[in-house]
Amino acid sequence: MNDETEDDLPTQLTRLLRNVDGVHTVYATKHLVPSIVGAVVEAVRNDPVGMHLVTVSGDADDMTVIACIGVSADEPASVVCKRAHDALRSFFADAGDSIPTAIDVKVGRVG
């Protein structure tokens, strides 16, 4: 019996962003207190616990993805930000899913 469950979409997107060249951190896009409360509720209900760092909202026809990243200072933040945006867009295209209506990648920190 396999107890492993597939990661949810925000978790998959967080992992993807962490592997983009120049991205050294993925920050939470939602306020910290509601995220912590949500994680506690998940733990009490025995749901998989995880802080969703990337926000995915809407449905397949009108989806929005929001991410906030920390980038290295080795290259311009705009270059890394575009690379992260393109990686998110490719993730959906490669999966054969609808590409989100909006993909918003913000730089939270450089350095």
XYZ file of all heavy atoms in Angstrom:
817
model
N 0.835 -1.182 0.000
C 0.000 0.000 0.000
C 0.880 1.246 0.000
O 1.827 1.342 0.760
C -0.897 -0.022 1.232
C -1.852 1.111 1.297
S -3.015 0.775 2.646
C -3.531 2.406 2.959
N 0.559 2.199 -0.826
C 1.344 3.411 -0.951
C 0.657 4.533 -0.183
O -0.434 4.952 -0.526
C 1.500 3.776 -2.432
C 2.432 4.949 -2.637
O 2.929 5.526 -1.682
N 2.652 5.300 -3.880
N 1.291 5.023 0.890
C 0.711 6.092 1.698
C 1.033 7.468 1.152
O 0.566 8.468 1.667
C 1.214 6.002 3.140
C 0.635 4.812 3.866
O -0.461 4.359 3.471
O 1.274 4.329 4.815
N 1.872 7.536 0.136
C 2.243 8.830 -0.419
C 1.097 9.386 -1.239
O 0.472 8.690 -2.021
C 3.483 8.703 -1.298
C 4.726 8.360 -0.512
C 5.950 8.315 -1.398
O 5.951 8.967 -2.457
O 6.897 7.617 -1.046
N 0.816 10.664 -1.033
C -0.200 11.337 -1.825
C 0.492 12.346 -2.713
O 1.565 12.861 -2.382
C -1.233 12.053 -0.932
O -0.543 12.988 -0.085
C -2.002 11.068 -0.072
N -0.125 12.627 -3.825
C 0.439 13.600 -4.751
C 0.385 14.985 -4.120
O -0.590 15.346 -3.463
C -0.366 13.581 -6.050
C 0.207 14.479 -7.108
C -0.553 14.362 -8.422
O -0.958 13.249 -8.782
O -0.733 15.406 -9.062
N 1.449 15.751 -4.284
C 1.473 17.115 -3.761
C 0.404 17.953 -4.442
O 0.131 17.784 -5.630
C 2.836 17.759 -4.001
C 3.923 17.172 -3.127
O 3.596 16.651 -2.040
O 5.090 17.233 -3.526
N -0.171 18.883 -3.698
C -1.159 19.770 -4.286
C -0.457 20.797 -5.181
O 0.768 20.916 -5.186
C -2.022 20.430 -3.220
C -1.229 21.289 -2.245
O -0.012 21.482 -2.455
O -1.823 21.768 -1.280
N -1.246 21.508 -5.957
C -0.698 22.429 -6.961
C 0.207 23.502 -6.362
O 1.316 23.716 -6.867
C -1.836 23.041 -7.785
C -1.426 23.938 -8.933
C -0.507 23.213 -9.918
C -2.671 24.462 -9.658
N -0.181 24.219 -5.287
C 0.736 25.224 -4.730
C 2.082 24.631 -4.305
O 3.123 25.260 -4.481
C -0.038 25.790 -3.541
C -1.469 25.582 -3.889
C -1.492 24.256 -4.615
N 2.057 23.422 -3.775
C 3.302 22.774 -3.358
C 4.161 22.429 -4.568
O 5.382 22.625 -4.553
C 2.995 21.502 -2.531
O 2.199 21.890 -1.395
C 4.269 20.822 -2.062
N 3.537 21.932 -5.624
C 4.276 21.623 -6.852
C 4.911 22.881 -7.435
O 6.063 22.863 -7.883
C 3.344 21.008 -7.890
C 2.840 19.626 -7.552
C 1.842 19.134 -8.572
O 1.928 19.476 -9.754
N 0.883 18.347 -8.133
N 4.158 23.987 -7.423
C 4.670 25.236 -7.993
C 5.791 25.812 -7.135
O 6.759 26.375 -7.664
C 3.539 26.245 -8.166
C 2.435 25.824 -9.138
C 1.327 26.873 -9.195
C 2.990 25.533 -10.522
N 5.686 25.651 -5.820
C 6.762 26.105 -4.936
C 8.042 25.336 -5.232
O 9.122 25.921 -5.357
C 6.358 25.925 -3.461
O 5.205 26.733 -3.195
C 7.486 26.326 -2.522
N 7.926 24.018 -5.370
C 9.089 23.184 -5.688
C 9.686 23.605 -7.030
O 10.908 23.707 -7.175
C 8.699 21.708 -5.718
C 9.910 20.804 -5.913
C 9.594 19.324 -5.958
N 8.767 18.860 -4.865
C 7.490 18.470 -5.000
N 6.910 18.473 -6.176
N 6.809 18.051 -3.959
N 8.841 23.849 -8.004
C 9.297 24.284 -9.328
C 10.103 25.579 -9.219
O 11.206 25.681 -9.760
C 8.093 24.485 -10.252
C 8.389 25.144 -11.588
C 8.942 24.113 -12.562
C 7.135 25.785 -12.154
N 9.563 26.560 -8.508
C 10.248 27.852 -8.387
C 11.583 27.725 -7.666
O 12.541 28.411 -8.012
C 9.352 28.862 -7.672
C 8.166 29.361 -8.481
C 7.241 30.204 -7.609
C 8.626 30.149 -9.699
N 11.654 26.856 -6.683
C 12.913 26.670 -5.951
C 14.006 26.108 -6.841
O 15.188 26.215 -6.513
C 12.688 25.753 -4.748
C 11.949 26.438 -3.625
C 11.780 25.544 -2.432
N 11.221 26.293 -1.322
C 10.418 25.770 -0.415
N 10.094 24.494 -0.467
N 9.954 26.517 0.547
N 13.624 25.512 -7.952
C 14.598 24.941 -8.887
C 14.911 25.847 -10.076
O 15.663 25.457 -10.963
C 14.108 23.571 -9.382
C 14.184 22.530 -8.291
O 15.221 22.370 -7.661
N 13.089 21.838 -8.054
N 14.349 27.046 -10.098
C 14.636 27.999 -11.168
C 15.970 28.680 -10.858
O 16.202 29.141 -9.730
C 13.507 29.051 -11.289
C 13.891 30.173 -12.239
C 12.212 28.386 -11.745
N 16.851 28.734 -11.856
C 18.154 29.393 -11.670
C 17.963 30.829 -11.203
O 17.189 31.585 -11.798
C 18.953 29.396 -12.976
C 19.505 28.036 -13.338
O 19.622 27.183 -12.430
O 19.812 27.816 -14.518
N 18.672 31.190 -10.145
C 18.627 32.555 -9.624
C 17.624 32.745 -8.498
O 17.677 33.747 -7.791
N 16.693 31.818 -8.312
C 15.730 31.915 -7.210
C 16.342 31.218 -6.004
O 16.717 30.057 -6.077
C 14.376 31.248 -7.568
C 13.448 31.217 -6.356
C 13.720 31.964 -8.729
N 16.488 31.945 -4.889
C 17.042 31.291 -3.705
C 16.001 31.092 -2.608
O 16.231 30.328 -1.675
C 18.295 32.005 -3.175
C 18.058 33.354 -2.590
N 17.459 33.555 -1.382
C 18.360 34.578 -3.068
C 17.399 34.854 -1.124
N 17.937 35.490 -2.130
N 14.846 31.754 -2.720
C 13.797 31.619 -1.711
C 12.436 31.832 -2.358
O 12.312 32.617 -3.300
C 13.968 32.685 -0.601
O 15.299 32.645 -0.111
C 13.010 32.475 0.546
N 11.429 31.139 -1.840
C 10.045 31.407 -2.221
C 9.345 31.848 -0.946
O 9.384 31.149 0.072
C 9.349 30.163 -2.816
C 7.907 30.478 -3.188
C 10.107 29.659 -4.040
N 8.757 33.036 -0.992
C 8.090 33.599 0.175
C 6.588 33.360 0.104
O 6.028 33.211 -0.978
C 8.338 35.114 0.256
C 9.786 35.483 0.447
C 10.518 36.044 -0.586
C 10.421 35.263 1.671
C 11.855 36.383 -0.410
C 11.752 35.600 1.852
C 12.461 36.169 0.801
O 13.775 36.494 0.982
N 5.952 33.381 1.272
C 4.496 33.255 1.325
C 3.858 34.487 0.697
O 4.314 35.608 0.893
C 4.031 33.106 2.773
N 2.800 34.259 -0.075
C 2.100 35.365 -0.709
C 0.876 35.792 0.088
O 0.293 36.825 -0.189
C 1.653 34.988 -2.134
O 0.877 33.787 -2.072
C 2.847 34.790 -3.041
N 0.498 34.976 1.077
C -0.624 35.321 1.941
C -0.083 35.789 3.276
O 1.056 35.500 3.635
C -1.534 34.101 2.147
C -2.227 33.660 0.887
C -3.146 32.496 1.161
C -3.861 32.081 -0.099
N -4.746 30.938 0.126
N -0.917 36.496 4.018
C -0.502 36.968 5.335
C -0.159 35.779 6.226
O -0.776 34.722 6.151
C -1.598 37.816 5.979
C -1.866 39.072 5.219
N -0.983 40.125 5.202
C -2.892 39.434 4.431
C -1.461 41.095 4.437
N -2.625 40.694 3.946
N 0.800 35.950 7.082
C 1.351 34.866 7.884
C 0.341 34.264 8.867
O 0.225 33.052 8.978
C 2.592 35.359 8.641
C 3.380 34.313 9.400
C 3.840 33.222 8.448
C 4.556 34.944 10.088
N -0.423 35.084 9.587
C -1.330 34.568 10.615
C -2.380 33.622 10.032
O -2.544 32.507 10.525
C -1.976 35.713 11.423
C -3.050 35.175 12.363
C -0.907 36.463 12.214
N -3.112 33.997 8.963
C -4.067 33.033 8.406
C -3.394 31.754 7.900
O -3.975 30.671 7.989
C -4.720 33.787 7.247
C -4.515 35.223 7.552
C -3.209 35.286 8.302
N -2.178 31.857 7.384
C -1.460 30.670 6.918
C -1.146 29.727 8.072
O -1.283 28.513 7.952
C -0.167 31.068 6.209
O -0.452 31.812 5.052
N -0.725 30.297 9.193
C -0.422 29.473 10.371
C -1.697 28.832 10.900
O -1.714 27.644 11.220
C 0.278 30.310 11.461
C 1.669 30.726 10.983
C 0.347 29.548 12.776
C 2.372 31.708 11.880
N -2.773 29.606 10.990
C -4.049 29.064 11.464
C -4.501 27.931 10.548
O -4.944 26.878 11.008
C -5.123 30.170 11.552
C -6.497 29.573 11.808
C -4.753 31.177 12.636
N -4.361 28.114 9.241
C -4.730 27.067 8.287
C -3.913 25.808 8.485
O -4.437 24.689 8.427
N -2.621 25.953 8.740
C -1.754 24.792 8.963
C -2.144 24.064 10.243
O -2.142 22.832 10.296
C -0.286 25.221 9.014
N -2.528 24.806 11.292
C -2.960 24.187 12.547
C -4.253 23.409 12.330
O -4.405 22.279 12.791
C -3.121 25.250 13.659
C -3.814 24.655 14.883
C -1.769 25.836 14.030
N -5.205 24.006 11.612
C -6.471 23.325 11.323
C -6.215 22.052 10.522
O -6.800 20.998 10.798
C -7.444 24.267 10.572
C -8.639 23.511 10.037
C -7.892 25.399 11.483
N -5.318 22.121 9.535
C -4.982 20.929 8.753
C -4.399 19.843 9.651
O -4.724 18.664 9.507
C -3.987 21.272 7.638
C -4.602 22.073 6.514
C -3.570 22.528 5.489
O -2.355 22.408 5.748
O -3.992 23.004 4.431
N -3.554 20.227 10.589
C -2.941 19.247 11.489
C -3.994 18.607 12.392
O -3.978 17.406 12.616
C -1.852 19.917 12.330
N -4.927 19.412 12.913
C -5.981 18.885 13.773
C -6.873 17.926 12.993
O -7.290 16.889 13.500
C -6.805 20.043 14.381
C -8.072 19.538 15.059
C -5.944 20.825 15.367
N -7.156 18.249 11.741
C -8.008 17.382 10.914
C -7.212 16.223 10.324
O -7.757 15.412 9.604
C -8.633 18.191 9.775
C -9.642 19.196 10.247
C -10.404 19.835 9.121
N -9.667 19.893 7.877
C -9.906 20.740 6.894
N -10.870 21.612 7.008
N -9.189 20.720 5.799
N -5.904 16.180 10.588
C -5.017 15.148 10.053
C -4.889 15.230 8.536
O -4.691 14.241 7.858
C -5.464 13.754 10.490
C -4.312 12.769 10.459
O -3.166 13.173 10.548
N -4.625 11.506 10.302
N -5.031 16.431 7.999
C -4.793 16.677 6.580
C -3.295 16.871 6.380
O -2.573 17.177 7.329
C -5.508 17.958 6.110
C -7.012 17.795 6.055
O -7.481 16.644 6.051
O -7.712 18.827 6.026
N -2.819 16.720 5.137
C -1.399 17.013 4.902
C -1.111 18.465 5.270
O -1.828 19.369 4.861
C -1.235 16.808 3.394
C -2.406 15.996 2.977
C -3.505 16.298 3.947
N -0.099 18.668 6.090
C 0.218 20.015 6.563
C 1.265 20.641 5.668
O 2.260 20.023 5.328
C 0.740 19.970 8.018
C 1.146 21.357 8.484
C -0.317 19.388 8.933
N 1.032 21.866 5.292
C 2.008 22.590 4.507
C 1.589 24.025 4.335
O 0.412 24.314 4.188
N 2.542 24.890 4.429
C 2.248 26.298 4.202
C 2.273 26.520 2.700
O 3.269 26.213 2.056
C 3.310 27.160 4.870
C 3.384 26.991 6.360
S 2.164 27.949 7.196
C 2.986 29.511 7.239
N 1.187 26.978 2.167
C 1.149 27.267 0.742
C 1.834 28.603 0.501
O 1.354 29.648 0.926
C -0.289 27.298 0.231
C -0.896 25.937 0.177
N -2.220 25.709 0.357
C -0.338 24.729 -0.040
C -2.470 24.424 0.250
N -1.331 23.808 0.018
N 2.977 28.538 -0.168
C 3.736 29.750 -0.443
C 3.262 30.411 -1.721
O 3.237 31.629 -1.820
C 5.229 29.419 -0.520
C 5.821 28.791 0.746
C 7.295 28.484 0.533
C 5.617 29.681 1.950
N 2.898 29.627 -2.715
C 2.383 30.143 -3.980
C 0.860 30.112 -3.888
O 0.272 29.124 -3.469
C 2.866 29.281 -5.169
C 2.251 29.761 -6.470
C 4.384 29.307 -5.253
N 0.226 31.215 -4.262
C -1.230 31.297 -4.222
C -1.806 30.958 -5.586
O -1.392 31.523 -6.600
C -1.698 32.709 -3.811
O -1.162 33.008 -2.525
C -3.206 32.814 -3.785
N -2.752 30.023 -5.598
C -3.474 29.653 -6.808
C -4.942 29.885 -6.510
O -5.485 29.321 -5.553
C -3.239 28.177 -7.191
C -4.027 27.824 -8.434
C -1.753 27.909 -7.396
N -5.595 30.733 -7.303
C -7.006 31.009 -7.065
C -7.777 30.957 -8.379
O -7.201 31.046 -9.459
C -7.182 32.371 -6.393
O -6.636 33.395 -7.199
N -9.078 30.792 -8.263
C -9.935 30.709 -9.437
C -10.064 29.271 -9.905
O -9.626 28.338 -9.245
N -10.701 29.110 -11.066
C -10.876 27.774 -11.625
C -10.044 27.651 -12.897
O -9.313 28.559 -13.262
C -12.358 27.474 -11.891
C -13.016 28.516 -12.795
O -12.306 29.150 -13.595
O -14.241 28.674 -12.710
N -10.171 26.528 -13.572
C -9.326 26.259 -14.748
C -9.496 27.307 -15.851
O -8.553 27.576 -16.598
C -9.639 24.871 -15.297
N -10.671 27.912 -15.960
C -10.915 28.891 -17.013
C -10.484 30.309 -16.643
O -10.358 31.160 -17.512
C -12.405 28.907 -17.377
C -12.850 27.588 -17.981
O -12.018 26.935 -18.655
O -14.016 27.204 -17.771
N -10.291 30.564 -15.359
C -9.923 31.910 -14.916
C -9.021 31.798 -13.682
O -9.379 32.234 -12.597
C -11.174 32.724 -14.601
C -10.850 34.183 -14.325
O -9.817 34.684 -14.814
O -11.639 34.827 -13.593
N -7.846 31.202 -13.873
C -6.927 30.949 -12.772
C -5.892 32.059 -12.659
O -5.411 32.580 -13.663
C -6.212 29.615 -12.986
C -5.300 29.212 -11.839
S -4.376 27.693 -12.173
C -5.696 26.532 -12.406
N -5.554 32.381 -11.411
C -4.497 33.338 -11.117
C -3.455 32.656 -10.237
O -3.803 31.970 -9.280
C -5.056 34.569 -10.385
O -6.016 35.216 -11.218
C -3.961 35.554 -10.034
N -2.182 32.837 -10.585
C -1.072 32.304 -9.803
C -0.230 33.487 -9.345
O 0.153 34.327 -10.153
C -0.213 31.331 -10.651
C 1.002 30.869 -9.868
C -1.037 30.147 -11.119
N 0.032 33.540 -8.034
C 0.836 34.624 -7.470
C 2.004 34.009 -6.702
O 1.811 33.112 -5.885
C 0.004 35.509 -6.524
C -1.188 36.108 -7.271
C 0.864 36.608 -5.922
C -2.180 36.828 -6.371
N 3.207 34.488 -6.989
C 4.406 34.007 -6.312
C 5.282 35.194 -5.929
O 5.310 36.211 -6.617
C 5.185 33.062 -7.222
N 5.989 35.038 -4.825
C 6.934 36.053 -4.367
C 8.263 35.339 -4.126
O 8.318 34.368 -3.362
C 6.426 36.708 -3.093
S 7.480 38.052 -2.507
N 9.310 35.803 -4.785
C 10.593 35.098 -4.740
C 11.716 36.001 -4.230
O 11.650 37.215 -4.333
C 10.978 34.549 -6.132
C 11.067 35.673 -7.165
C 9.987 33.478 -6.570
C 11.583 35.231 -8.545
N 12.726 35.367 -3.696
C 13.984 36.023 -3.382
C 14.973 35.607 -4.451
O 15.017 34.437 -4.835
N 15.713 36.559 -4.965
C 16.632 36.252 -6.060
C 18.071 36.557 -5.647
O 18.329 37.396 -4.793
C 16.284 37.034 -7.352
C 14.880 36.696 -7.812
C 16.411 38.523 -7.159
N 18.998 35.856 -6.285
C 20.413 36.116 -6.031
C 20.793 37.426 -6.711
O 20.116 37.888 -7.611
C 21.256 34.960 -6.565
O 21.087 34.844 -7.960
N 21.877 38.005 -6.266
C 22.320 39.284 -6.822
C 23.257 39.094 -8.007
O 23.839 40.055 -8.497
C 23.000 40.110 -5.732
N 23.397 37.851 -8.479
C 24.329 37.558 -9.562
C 23.866 38.076 -10.916
O 24.674 38.238 -11.822
C 24.561 36.047 -9.663
C 25.187 35.494 -8.402
O 25.803 36.267 -7.641
O 25.052 34.284 -8.170
N 22.566 38.279 -11.072
C 22.022 38.787 -12.330
C 20.819 39.660 -12.015
O 20.304 39.629 -10.896
C 21.664 37.639 -13.270
C 20.693 36.626 -12.720
C 20.544 35.420 -13.634
O 20.569 35.571 -14.861
O 20.400 34.324 -13.106
N 20.364 40.466 -12.977
C 19.245 41.363 -12.699
C 18.002 40.610 -12.221
O 17.666 39.541 -12.725
C 18.982 42.031 -14.051
C 20.277 41.927 -14.795
C 20.882 40.629 -14.342
N 17.321 41.190 -11.225
C 16.112 40.579 -10.669
C 15.049 40.383 -11.743
O 14.317 39.392 -11.725
C 15.567 41.442 -9.535
N 14.975 41.302 -12.694
C 13.970 41.190 -13.751
C 14.191 39.946 -14.614
O 13.235 39.318 -15.066
C 13.965 42.443 -14.628
O 15.233 42.632 -15.230
N 15.444 39.563 -14.812
C 15.760 38.371 -15.602
C 15.301 37.111 -14.856
O 14.678 36.219 -15.436
C 17.277 38.302 -15.917
C 17.656 36.968 -16.528
C 17.682 39.456 -16.823
N 15.601 37.050 -13.567
C 15.198 35.893 -12.760
C 13.674 35.830 -12.652
O 13.071 34.761 -12.752
C 15.847 35.941 -11.363
C 15.386 34.772 -10.510
C 17.361 35.958 -11.475
N 13.054 36.976 -12.477
C 11.599 37.051 -12.379
C 10.944 36.540 -13.667
O 9.987 35.765 -13.619
C 11.186 38.489 -12.095
S 9.502 38.691 -11.544
N 11.454 36.932 -14.808
C 10.914 36.453 -16.086
C 11.132 34.953 -16.223
O 10.254 34.228 -16.690
C 11.564 37.187 -17.255
C 11.180 36.607 -18.609
C 10.924 37.652 -19.633
C 10.581 37.142 -21.005
N 9.699 36.006 -21.105
N 12.306 34.473 -15.807
C 12.593 33.044 -15.869
C 11.596 32.267 -15.004
O 11.091 31.215 -15.397
C 14.022 32.789 -15.398
C 14.508 31.381 -15.633
C 15.955 31.182 -15.175
N 16.874 32.063 -15.880
C 17.817 32.811 -15.303
N 17.984 32.764 -13.986
N 18.612 33.578 -16.006
N 11.289 32.792 -13.816
C 10.322 32.139 -12.917
C 8.927 32.161 -13.547
O 8.205 31.159 -13.518
C 10.316 32.840 -11.564
N 8.555 33.292 -14.122
C 7.252 33.409 -14.800
C 7.141 32.388 -15.932
O 6.142 31.681 -16.055
C 7.079 34.831 -15.344
C 5.833 35.023 -16.127
N 5.732 34.693 -17.459
C 4.619 35.491 -15.757
C 4.515 34.961 -17.889
N 3.819 35.444 -16.874
N 8.171 32.304 -16.738
C 8.166 31.372 -17.873
C 8.106 29.917 -17.401
O 7.444 29.085 -18.026
C 9.392 31.593 -18.754
C 9.356 32.932 -19.481
O 8.288 33.582 -19.503
O 10.412 33.334 -20.020
N 8.770 29.617 -16.272
C 8.736 28.251 -15.733
C 7.323 27.893 -15.277
O 6.852 26.778 -15.513
C 9.731 28.119 -14.579
N 6.647 28.843 -14.635
C 5.268 28.593 -14.211
C 4.358 28.380 -15.419
O 3.544 27.449 -15.446
C 4.749 29.760 -13.360
C 5.382 29.900 -11.974
C 5.011 31.235 -11.343
C 4.965 28.743 -11.084
N 4.517 29.230 -16.422
C 3.685 29.107 -17.623
C 3.937 27.765 -18.311
O 3.004 27.064 -18.703
C 3.998 30.259 -18.578
C 3.058 30.368 -19.744
C 3.371 31.623 -20.571
N 2.340 31.921 -21.498
C 2.034 31.213 -22.593
N 2.708 30.113 -22.863
N 1.059 31.575 -23.392
N 5.191 27.369 -18.414
C 5.546 26.101 -19.049
C 5.006 24.904 -18.269
O 4.632 23.892 -18.863
C 7.067 25.970 -19.175
O 7.559 26.918 -20.082
N 4.963 25.013 -16.948
C 4.442 23.936 -16.113
C 3.019 23.573 -16.557
O 2.694 22.402 -16.723
C 4.442 24.370 -14.639
C 3.785 23.389 -13.718
C 4.505 22.348 -13.165
C 2.434 23.510 -13.397
C 3.895 21.445 -12.300
C 1.820 22.609 -12.542
C 2.555 21.573 -12.000
N 2.180 24.587 -16.744
C 0.797 24.339 -17.144
C 0.718 23.877 -18.595
O -0.041 22.968 -18.920
C -0.058 25.589 -16.926
C -0.283 25.893 -15.473
C 0.525 26.797 -14.802
C -1.289 25.253 -14.768
C 0.330 27.059 -13.454
C -1.492 25.514 -13.423
C -0.677 26.419 -12.760
N 1.501 24.488 -19.468
C 1.481 24.107 -20.881
C 1.961 22.667 -21.063
O 1.347 21.895 -21.815
C 2.348 25.068 -21.690
N 3.028 22.289 -20.367
C 3.576 20.933 -20.484
C 2.611 19.884 -19.948
O 2.602 18.744 -20.412
C 4.918 20.818 -19.752
C 6.013 21.634 -20.415
O 5.818 22.093 -21.566
O 7.065 21.839 -19.778
N 1.798 20.264 -18.964
C 0.831 19.332 -18.383
C -0.435 19.234 -19.237
O -1.291 18.403 -18.977
C 0.470 19.770 -16.967
N -0.535 20.105 -20.249
C -1.724 20.113 -21.094
C -2.898 20.816 -20.446
O -4.034 20.715 -20.911
N -2.637 21.536 -19.366
C -3.683 22.274 -18.665
C -3.845 23.659 -19.279
O -2.975 24.141 -20.001
C -3.329 22.430 -17.182
C -3.237 21.101 -16.455
O -3.893 20.139 -16.903
O -2.506 21.032 -15.457
N -4.962 24.296 -18.943
C -5.156 25.684 -19.363
C -4.098 26.547 -18.698
O -3.802 26.383 -17.507
C -6.537 26.189 -18.946
O -7.540 25.463 -19.585
N -3.538 27.460 -19.455
C -2.548 28.386 -18.898
C -3.300 29.432 -18.086
O -4.323 29.955 -18.531
C -1.715 29.024 -20.022
C -0.901 27.916 -20.707
C -0.801 30.102 -19.471
C -0.148 28.347 -21.924
N -2.842 29.724 -16.871
C -3.549 30.702 -16.037
C -3.751 32.035 -16.749
O -2.925 32.455 -17.557
C -2.619 30.864 -14.829
C -1.869 29.580 -14.764
C -1.676 29.164 -16.194
N -4.859 32.678 -16.414
C -5.170 33.987 -16.972
C -4.123 35.006 -16.542
O -3.746 35.886 -17.317
C -6.561 34.450 -16.484
O -7.507 33.418 -16.775
C -6.980 35.737 -17.139
N -3.662 34.881 -15.299
C -2.647 35.799 -14.775
C -1.613 35.023 -13.980
O -1.960 34.172 -13.166
C -3.294 36.855 -13.888
N -0.349 35.320 -14.248
C 0.765 34.787 -13.462
C 1.541 35.996 -12.979
O 2.114 36.737 -13.780
C 1.672 33.856 -14.292
C 0.887 32.656 -14.802
C 2.874 33.422 -13.462
C 1.670 31.752 -15.741
N 1.540 36.206 -11.672
C 2.171 37.378 -11.075
C 3.343 36.922 -10.222
O 3.152 36.273 -9.195
C 1.136 38.120 -10.224
C 1.651 39.415 -9.644
O 2.718 39.897 -10.087
O 0.994 39.961 -8.738
N 4.554 37.233 -10.675
C 5.758 36.891 -9.919
C 6.383 38.185 -9.426
O 6.734 39.052 -10.223
C 6.775 36.106 -10.778
C 8.025 35.782 -9.964
C 6.147 34.834 -11.325
N 6.493 38.313 -8.117
C 7.053 39.503 -7.504
C 8.395 39.154 -6.868
O 8.583 38.040 -6.401
C 6.124 40.026 -6.402
C 4.753 40.393 -6.910
C 3.849 40.762 -5.765
C 2.450 41.008 -6.316
N 1.483 41.264 -5.269
N 9.283 40.113 -6.845
C 10.574 39.906 -6.193
C 10.450 40.480 -4.790
O 10.203 41.669 -4.603
C 11.708 40.592 -6.981
C 13.017 40.477 -6.215
C 11.833 39.997 -8.359
N 10.622 39.607 -3.793
C 10.511 40.017 -2.402
C 11.837 40.458 -1.814
O 11.874 41.241 -0.877
N 12.927 39.957 -2.399
C 14.255 40.310 -1.880
C 15.319 39.986 -2.907
O 15.244 38.997 -3.610
C 14.527 39.517 -0.595
C 15.841 39.906 0.046
C 15.948 39.327 1.432
N 17.169 39.824 2.029
C 18.037 39.084 2.661
N 17.823 37.793 2.810
N 19.122 39.610 3.177
N 16.323 40.849 -2.970
C 17.484 40.610 -3.835
C 18.692 40.510 -2.924
O 18.902 41.359 -2.054
C 17.678 41.763 -4.848
C 18.922 41.543 -5.661
C 16.469 41.928 -5.740
N 19.497 39.480 -3.136
C 20.709 39.384 -2.344
C 21.068 38.016 -1.909
O 20.492 37.041 -2.011
